[in-house]
Amino acid sequence: MRWLGALLILSAAAGGFLLERRESLMPLRLAQALAVDLGTLSAGICRSRRPLPELLAKELGRGPGAAALWQPLLTLLEVEHGTLPACWGRACRDLPSPLDDMLAPLGPLLPEGGGTLGRAIEETREELTGFVRAERERQSAAGRLTAAVCLSGACLGILVLM
């Protein structure tokens, strides 16, 4: 019976670690997806001159970036009929902390399109890539520390209960 209790405590610690790990990796995955999506946005608006709602519905409608930014932006544009920069700002506010500051400056440039927007998108993609690189390093160290805390807490709980 003691072994079963110990196994349950260790399982709970492992589950807690995995849940924390998944939650902490969400901004990293979102930043990677948005960097790819911005390349699609740049190609669609700056080179192909396609309308933004069409791009949002067809090419940017899947993945983590769609749920976090593109679908809310499309909804704001269709339902509220606001200006593009205002809708972009509102959609960016719902992103995790560093990502909203990186993407917000693109809003006023979206209606203009052209080379200025293309350069701004490339700068934003470089910022996102730098963020991903730094966040991976930080997550690596934080993951080891979180695993150690979960395991040591579980072991302490097992010792106290035995």
Side-chain angles (χ1 to χ4, degrees), residues 40-46 48-62 70-71 74:
T40 304
L41 183 73
S42 177
I45 290 178
C46 299
S48 301
R49 305 276 187 213
R50 293 175 58 198
L52 183 62
E54 178 186 325
L55 279 171
L56 294 175
K58 292 183 179 176
E59 296 189 24
L60 298 173
R62 295 176 244 59
W70 308 120
Q71 291 300 324
L74 182 61

Side-chain angles (χ1 to χ4, degrees), residues 24-111:
S24 66
L25 287 176
M26 195 270 301
L28 179 66
R29 289 187 184 123
L30 182 58
Q32 289 173 325
L34 288 174
V36 171
D37 290 349
L38 284 175
T40 304
L41 183 73
S42 177
I45 290 178
C46 299
R47 290 183 215 119
S48 301
R49 305 276 187 213
R50 293 175 58 198
L52 183 62
E54 178 186 325
L55 279 171
L56 294 175
K58 292 183 179 176
E59 296 189 24
L60 298 173
R62 295 176 244 59
L69 179 64
W70 308 120
Q71 291 300 324
L73 177 61
L74 182 61
T75 303
L76 287 170
L77 289 171
E78 289 176 346
V79 174
E80 298 189 13
H81 302 291
T83 64
L84 182 55
C87 291
W88 179 267
R90 288 182 56 198
C92 285
R93 273 186 247 145
D94 294 335
L95 293 174
S97 178
L99 301 179
D100 60 349
D101 292 336
M102 289 179 200
L103 292 170
L106 293 177
L109 300 174
L110 280 172

Side-chain angles (χ1 to χ4, degrees), residues 130-146:
F131 168 75
V132 166
R133 200 172 308 121
E135 189 66 12
R136 267 199 196 120
E137 292 173 11
R138 191 189 72 74
Q139 289 290 333
S140 176
R144 287 191 297 270
L145 183 61
T146 302

Side-chain angles (χ1 to χ4, degrees), residues 109-131:
L109 300 174
L110 280 172
E112 296 174 17
T116 306
L117 177 63
R119 286 188 295 278
I121 287 175
E122 286 307 312
E123 288 176 17
T124 304
R125 289 182 72 198
E126 288 174 14
E127 277 185 75
L128 286 170
T129 303
F131 168 75

